[in-house]
Amino acid sequence: MYETGTGAEVSDEKAAFYYMRASKRGDPFVSLELGNMYSAGRGVPKSLEKAAEWYRAGAGAGDGECQALLGYAYETGSGVPQSYEDAMEWYLKSAGSGFGWAMGEIGQMYETGRGAGKSYEEAAKWYHRGAESGHAWSQFKLGYAYEKGRGVPRSFTDAAKWYMASANQGNAKAQACLGVLYMNGQGVPKFYPEAAKWLRMAADQGNSLGQWLLADLYETGQGVFQSYEEAARLFSLAAEQGGAYPKYRLGKLYEAGNGVPKSYDEAFRLYSEAAELGNTSAEARLGYFYERGLGTEQSPETAAEWYSKAAEKGDSWAMMRLADLYYFGKGVPKSYDEAFRLFSSSAERGNSFAQYSLGYMYQHGQGTEKSDELAAEWYSKAADQGDERAAAELEKMRAGRSRARSRSGLPFFPGFPLESNT
């Protein structure tokens, strides 16, 4: 009565007093309530040790929730010495009482190999038991297992089924993952409005994945009315949670002035934060800002450092820009050999400007043996992607009118700007 205010004024202190008196009867419900009060510091001084004592009392009386909470105390070392083995023991007892949350925790311990041998198969079995009992988090984990094929045959249909069950109970992670399935048409029909609905539910609960995926939809106008302003708002919310990707995407909006005032300074700040967190695209873009002096002092040397970080991770645009620096000797020693190597790696990954530049280097024997045949091959690949420089050079070669240009040695035609990041 005192705890809930039913028939009396709410008072945690009085509730704790009467629970303490009632505890002498050995009621496990009373032990659970006292454990929760000591754990939260409601009506009594906060004490994880005393919380564990009361959970133990209830667990000994067979209460499944107390058993699970005591298991969690052992798992996290809250009020008792940390022990995965003891945690597993109490989780198993709780699961035997039919407590779904404990089943999910057992699944997690098998998945991570804590307190039991690592086994995705055993994890999936326990997630399934928890999911069948109606436990939302277990349903989410089972859906994820089916999506990734961990411990169960991969099935997007089953993933969608369990994500839906969990999402309908309000689990934000399941809502976001279900939105992704609707975006991709995996296990459910591809339908952006339905994806937006579930992503919005997740985003409204503060889920970072839901926020930046919904921002993606607003930026492109898929399933929602296109709005750079709403995209910027959602990317900002996700970025505040420390995510590298939303910081990078918000930086792009500031660079272009879409939905926010155009600001190279703000874009540079966001790219820097995202790059420090390891986002490859941000590393490449940060290199470009240093190369051009956007939002910071111009520094080809620093540009080369950031391009190198992104290039090492396979970013084709960064490879192309770094190759350009080596070709001209900007911030790095001039080297046609290194430029050719980097243009080759970028071209093989489909970068049209690198394909054009590689064709030029084959045509003029720079960093490699001269080969009109290979030059034409790479010019053709670039031209197929709409590169006008490559199309023009290919036409000259086909017409047999190849001639020296006024800017011999430069892989750029006057009037054609450097490729920009997309």
Side-chain angles (χ1 to χ4, degrees):
M1 293 173 62
Y2 283 109
E3 185 177 10
T4 62
T6 304
E9 183 181 351
V10 174
S11 172
D12 287 331
E13 290 75 13
K14 288 184 178 180
F17 172 77
Y18 285 107
Y19 277 140
M20 197 71 71
R21 289 181 62 180
S23 67
K24 297 177 182 178
R25 297 196 297 267
D27 187 338
F29 171 79
V30 173
S31 299
L32 173 63
E33 291 302 311
L34 283 170
N36 290 340
M37 296 186 87
Y38 274 109
S39 179
R42 289 188 295 106
V44 291
K46 183 172 182 175
S47 171
L48 297 180
E49 290 75 13
K50 288 189 176 181
E53 289 177 10
W54 284 110
Y55 290 145
R56 188 183 302 279
D63 184 82
E65 189 169 356
C66 283
Q67 290 167 341
L69 288 169
L70 183 58
Y72 186 76
Y74 275 112
E75 182 181 357
T76 58
S78 302
V80 292
Q82 195 276 334
S83 170
Y84 292 130
E85 290 72 19
D86 286 335
M88 177 64 90
E89 178 184 342
W90 285 107
Y91 282 147
L92 286 169
K93 289 180 179 180
S94 177
S97 301
F99 197 63
W101 179 65
M103 298 172 190
E105 291 300 312
I106 295 170
Q108 182 74 10
M109 297 192 81
Y110 273 113
E111 184 178 349
T112 58
R114 296 181 305 184
K118 187 171 183 177
S119 169
Y120 288 133
E121 290 75 16
E122 282 299 312
K125 289 179 184 177
W126 282 102
Y127 288 144
H128 195 275
R129 289 184 61 181
E132 290 287 1
S133 77
H135 184 239
W137 187 78
S138 294
Q139 292 168 342
F140 160 69
K141 292 294 291 184
L142 183 59
Y144 189 80
Y146 274 114
E147 182 183 357
K148 302 300 180 182
R150 288 186 176 180
V152 289
R154 191 176 193 187
S155 169
F156 290 118
T157 302
D158 286 324
K161 169 190 171 182
W162 289 110
Y163 282 152
M164 182 71 76
S166 182
N168 281 328
Q169 293 196 65
N171 185 282
K173 289 184 177 180
Q175 290 166 346
C177 290
L178 185 59
V180 173
L181 294 186
Y182 275 107
M183 286 177 67
N184 298 329
Q186 296 171 314
V188 290
K190 187 172 185 176
F191 191 45
Y192 286 113
E194 189 70 10
K197 182 188 84 172
W198 289 107
L199 292 174
R200 183 174 288 106
M201 289 183 184
D204 287 346
Q205 293 194 65
N207 180 270
S208 176
L209 178 63
Q211 289 167 342
W212 66 255
L213 284 173
L214 185 59
D216 273 337
L217 296 184
Y218 272 107
E219 187 173 2
T220 57
Q222 294 175 298
V224 294
F225 289 109
Q226 196 279 336
S227 172
Y228 286 125
E229 290 75 14
E230 185 64 8
R233 184 186 75 83
L234 288 162
F235 276 136
S236 181
L237 289 173
E240 288 172 2
Q241 298 190 52
Y245 180 77
K247 288 177 185 289
Y248 161 67
R249 292 297 299 276
L250 185 59
K252 289 192 70 176
L253 293 181
Y254 273 106
E255 181 181 353
N258 290 332
V260 289
K262 186 171 184 175
S263 171
Y264 288 134
D265 290 346
E266 188 65 10
F268 175 80
R269 181 186 71 81
L270 288 161
Y271 288 149
S272 297
E273 291 180 5
E276 291 294 345
L277 291 169
N279 183 273
T280 305
S281 297
E283 291 170 345
R285 207 68 198 142
L286 191 58
Y288 186 76
F289 269 48
Y290 274 112
E291 182 183 356
R292 294 305 180 88
L294 303 175
T296 187
E297 290 187 10
Q298 189 173 26
S299 173
E301 293 78 11
T302 307
E305 291 176 8
W306 284 108
Y307 284 147
S308 294
K309 288 178 183 289
E312 288 171 1
K313 297 178 183 178
D315 188 283
S316 63
W317 189 84
M319 292 174 185
M320 179 273 294
R321 294 303 316 135
L322 185 59
D324 181 59
L325 295 186
Y326 274 106
Y327 191 96
F328 289 107
K330 296 189 296 184
V332 290
K334 185 171 182 175
S335 171
Y336 285 148
D337 290 345
E338 189 64 9
F340 177 82
R341 183 186 71 82
L342 288 161
F343 276 137
S344 296
S345 295
S346 180
E348 288 166 359
R349 288 169 170 79
N351 185 281
S352 62
F353 185 80
Q355 291 170 342
Y356 158 71
S357 300
L358 191 59
Y360 186 91
M361 296 189 81
Y362 271 119
Q363 186 180 10
H364 295 275
Q366 295 173 331
T368 186
E369 291 184 7
K370 184 175 180 179
S371 171
D372 287 343
E373 182 180 351
L374 289 172
E377 178 183 330
W378 285 108
Y379 281 148
S380 180
K381 290 182 178 181
D384 288 344
Q385 295 195 66
D387 191 289
E388 296 179 24
R389 294 156 291 198
E393 191 61 26
L394 189 61
E395 183 62 29
K396 289 180 182 180
M397 295 184 73
R398 286 172 175 170
R401 292 184 286 106
S402 179
R403 58 183 180 274
R405 293 183 219 118
S406 59
R407 296 182 67 191
S408 177
L410 301 181
F412 310 111
F413 282 86
F416 287 92
L418 293 174
E419 178 178 316
S420 62
N421 193 19
T422 56

